[in-house]
Amino acid sequence: MLTRIDHIGIACFDLDETVEFYRATYGFEVLHTEANEEQGLREAMLRINGASDGGASYVQLLESTRDDSVIGKWLAKNGEGVHHIAFGTEDVDGDAEAVRGKGVRVLYDEPRRGSMGSRITFLHPKDCHGVLTELVTAAPQATPGH
Ligand code: CMX
Ligand code: CO
């Protein structure tokens, strides 16, 4: 079951400059940065709030590191802006299968590794009224002292 907005993915030309905009304008701080070679991107996760299911809500800022990457191609066509939305779930495998069963194209056969050890998959925007939609299960949380 999808229980929250995990993040909004925003494509930008310059990650450091955009991080600074979010910090200076709203006071949002970077919780995590990561480079994903396979996807050809660099990203920063800005945590907005926590949630009772152990997940949280983030702004995900995405910069392309290769012209032929998904983000690079999208930026070349559209310029900067909202690239996708991501819903949080405790069971990305089960929810992806359920959605697939309703005739929506799920882009990966099995969920893949996303930022911060999460597991993610994507739904085709043409099957979701123009919105590239990601499903995310957060990594199990380490409990301090355990
Ligand atoms: N939102 C809405 N529509 C989109 C879109 C987006 N982000 N990206 C592409 N489209 C639309 C295009 O406008 C185009 O529509 P038209 O045919 O009407 O012009 C159509 O989809 C095909 O677009 P394309 O430019 O040819 O792009 P591709 O088919 O090569 O790729 C997609 C589209 C969804 C398969 C690809 O973006 C993908 O695999 N996405 C999943 C992975 C991803 O997004 N990674 C980056 C984020 C990583 C993370 O969040 O961790
Ligand atoms: Co995302």
Side-chain angles (χ1 to χ4, degrees), residues 7 9 60 84 86 122 134:
H7 64 267
Q60 179 184 40
H84 63 273
F122 289 88
E134 179 180 348

